Amino acid sequence: MLHSSYIEISKSALQNNIDFIRSEIGPDVLLSSVVKGNAYGHGIEQFTPLAQACGINHFSVFSADEADRLLKSIPRPSTILIMGYLDNPELEWAIRHDMEFFVFELDRLQEASAMATKLGKRAKIHLELETGMYRTGFDKAALARAETLLASHRTELELQGICTHFAGAESMQNHERVLRQLQKYNRQVARLQQAGHLPRQRHTACSAAMISYPDTRMDMVRVGIMQYGLWPSPETYSRYISQQEEKKDPLQRLVNWKSRIMSLKSVPKGEYIGYGTSFQAPRDMVLAIVPVGYAWGYSRSLSNQGQVLVRGTRAAVVGTVNMNVMMVDVTDIPDVGKDDEVVLLGKQGEESITVASFGELSTQLNYELLTRLPLNIPRCVIE
Ligand SMILES: *Cc1c(COP(=O)(O)O)cnc(C)c1O
C-alpha cells in the first residue's frame, strides 16, 4: 500500500440512495446530483462516473473549476449546472460547453447575453430569486431590470430555470421562514410566467426541503448530502422516520476511511504516551501506531477521544493525534498484528464509526467533516 490511508466509495450504497430518493420524488421530478465541495469530499473524479452508472444525468456544482473537472470525469455527456462562482471570463467557456448556470446579478446577465451573441449560441440561464435567504438572488428591483433584459434578448438567453435556495430547511426552527420563502417564490414565478417568462424548470429543493416539504420539489430537486447517505440533520431524519412503519434508515453511507497498523508498541504501566502528558498508561498496554494524523484531516480534537475499529472491535485513540500518526489502545484485542486493517470511518464486521459520532466528537457537521476529507487521500470505488 503506497498511501498510509485510503477512502473507499461504495457503488451499491450510492445506487441504494439514488433509488430511495427517486422513490420519494417520483418519475416526473428530475434529480440533480449536487457534487460541489469535491462531491462532498468523495472526489469528483471518482464519484461522478459512478453516479452516471447509477442513472444520474444532471449535476450541480458550485464553480467553473468544478464544472471543468466534472466534464473531464464523466464518460457520457450530462447536464452541468453551475450554481455559484463563474467569473465573466469563464462565461465563454461555459456557454461553449452548453453549461447551465445560475444568474443572480444583472452584470452576469448582460455578459451572458453578449457572449452568447458573440458565440452564436444560446446561454442557458437559471434565474435565481431572492426569497429570504439573503445570499445570492435577484431582489425585486433588480428582477424588474432583469426581466427587461430577458424580454429584449430572447434569442440569446434561454430561460432554463427559475430557482431559489432555502435558509435552513433542515430545522423546524426555520419552518415559518421556509414557508415564507416558498410563498414568495411561487408568487414571483407566477408573475414572471404571466409576463411571458416561461422557465423549463422550477427548482428550489435541497435534500432537507425535498424530504420535509414535498411542495418544494416542483420540476427538479438539487440533492447533495442524502445521495452520500447522510441526513441533513438528525431532526430531518427523526421527522421522516416517525412517519414510516419500518424504522430502519433507508440511506447507506458511501465512504469507508481505512488505514493499517504500521507498528505495535508495548508500554509499561505508568508511562506517558506520545507528546506531553495527556495520557498516562493505567496498566501495561499494547498500542497500535496508525499512520494517519491531522495532516490528513483526522482532527487533533479527537486526541484521547476518537475511536477506530480493529478486528471488528472498537479501540480508543490515546494521547494526542500527531501530524502523521496516532496511537490506539489495542491491549484487549487478541491476535492483533502489524498490517491489520484500521477503520477510521465506516464499517468493519458488525461495528461502525459513523460520520455523526465522528463529527460530534470533533464538533464538525456531517457536511463539514465529509468535505474536509483531504484531496491527498486516494479514493477507490468498491461494489
Ligand atoms: C448545496 C446546495 C444544495 C444541496 O444541499 P444538500 O443539503 O446537500 O442537499 C442545493 N442547492 C444549492 C443552491 C446548494 O448550494
Side-chain angles (χ1 to χ4, degrees):
M1 190 160 107
L2 180 63
H3 291 268
S4 66
S5 77
Y6 59 97
I7 293 171
E8 289 175 350
I9 317 272
S10 162
K11 183 178 179 190
S12 58
L14 177 58
Q15 187 72 66
N16 169 80
N17 300 340
I18 289 174
D19 291 348
F20 169 70
I21 294 163
R22 285 208 198 283
S23 73
E24 285 293 306
I25 61 178
D28 300 329
V29 178
L30 186 63
L31 170 57
S32 181
S33 162
V34 178
V35 294
K36 66 190 184 190
N38 197 28
Y40 290 48
H42 293 66
I44 285 187
E45 285 74 13
Q46 293 78 11
F47 179 82
T48 55
L50 206 59
Q52 269 198 340
C54 292
I56 292 292
N57 212 14
H58 193 294
F59 292 98
S60 294
V61 296
F62 176 72
S63 53
D65 66 302
E66 290 176 341
D68 184 42
R69 282 172 61 197
L70 170 57
L71 196 61
K72 289 172 177 148
S73 307
I74 45 178
R76 288 182 291 106
S78 277
T79 306
I80 299 178
L81 172 57
I82 301 172
M83 302 187 293
Y85 186 74
L86 177 64
D87 208 5
N88 285 343
E90 273 73 54
L91 266 174
E92 173 168 358
W93 170 83
I95 296 170
R96 224 184 252 291
H97 287 88
D98 289 316
M99 305 262 167
E100 303 184 4
F101 49 92
F102 279 28
V103 173
F104 40 79
E105 280 182 350
L106 280 170
D107 171 57
R108 192 185 286 183
L109 196 58
Q110 278 155 353
E111 285 290 329
S113 158
M115 190 50 72
T117 308
K118 181 180 150 196
L119 296 174
K121 290 193 76 141
R122 300 191 83 190
K124 296 181 180 176
I125 62 158
H126 293 247
L127 211 55
E128 187 185 8
L129 305 183
E130 176 55 64
T131 56
M133 164 118 179
Y134 294 100
R135 190 170 70 177
T136 46
F138 282 107
D139 60 24
K140 260 204 169 126
L143 186 61
R145 297 173 60 196
E147 281 180 63
T148 313
L149 238 153
L150 270 174
S152 56
H153 292 83
R154 283 198 201 276
T155 17
E156 304 92 295
L157 299 173
E158 183 169 336
L159 187 58
Q160 184 67 29
I162 302 181
C163 54
T164 197
H165 187 53
F166 296 111
E170 73 287 345
S171 168
M172 281 307 281
Q173 220 178 346
N174 304 318
H175 183 65
E176 294 301 319
R177 186 171 173 198
V178 168
L179 291 185
R180 270 200 308 277
Q181 283 191 268
L182 181 59
Q183 249 178 19
K184 201 163 173 184
Y185 174 86
N186 283 333
R187 266 204 312 271
Q188 292 189 25
V189 170
R191 201 183 50 71
L192 281 159
Q193 283 175 327
Q194 267 164 17
H197 303 290
L198 306 174
R200 287 171 196 270
Q201 293 154 345
R202 295 158 305 136
H203 54 103
T204 64
C206 56
S207 296
M210 169 195 72
I211 209 81
S212 300
Y213 300 91
D215 285 351
T216 64
R217 292 173 190 163
M218 303 178 192
D219 302 311
M220 179 168 89
V221 293
R222 309 182 302 258
V223 175
I225 196 84
M226 285 182 72
Q227 62 178 336
Y228 305 105
L230 297 168
W231 292 80
S233 67
E235 202 180 316
T236 310
Y237 174 66
S238 41
R239 211 173 137 186
Y240 170 81
I241 211 76
S242 70
Q243 295 156 2
Q244 307 303 311
E245 297 216 332
E246 198 183 351
K247 305 293 177 199
K248 182 175 169 283
D249 188 346
L251 298 175
Q252 295 171 11
R253 246 181 302 109
L254 268 58
V255 289
N256 284 314
W257 183 11
K258 293 179 173 176
S259 181
R260 284 183 195 285
I261 294 179
M262 178 172 85
S263 178
L264 288 164
K265 165 86 62 189
S266 298
V267 183
K269 178 177 172 181
E271 295 294 334
Y272 292 106
I273 289 170
Y275 289 123
T277 54
S278 77
F279 191 91
Q280 187 176 24
R283 54 174 176 160
D284 287 348
M285 291 176 78
V286 181
L287 299 185
I289 317 302
V290 181
V292 175
Y294 57 79
W296 289 282
Y298 197 90
S299 174
R300 223 174 148 270
S301 62
L302 291 163
S303 300
N304 288 313
Q305 298 281 330
Q307 295 191 325
V308 301
L309 302 175
V310 178
R311 295 196 166 241
T313 307
R314 284 178 181 273
V317 173
V318 289
T320 54
V321 172
N322 299 173
M323 183 185 289
N324 302 107
V325 291
M326 62 175 138
M327 281 76 97
V328 171
D329 177 9
V330 291
T331 314
D332 297 324
I333 302 179
D335 302 326
V336 67
K338 195 174 151 175
D339 285 336
D340 279 358
E341 181 184 89
V342 177
V343 169
L344 309 165
L345 185 65
K347 277 192 295 254
Q348 191 187 55
E350 299 296 302
E351 288 283 351
S352 119
I353 307 287
T354 64
V355 177
S357 68
F358 198 95
E360 264 160 44
L361 283 171
S362 65
T363 63
Q364 294 175 20
L365 266 172
N366 278 351
Y367 290 86
E368 195 181 338
L369 184 118
L370 283 179
T371 50
R372 278 165 62 153
L373 291 175
L375 289 168
N376 57 1
I377 304 176
R379 273 73 167 159
C380 59
V381 171
I382 59 165
E383 270 310 305

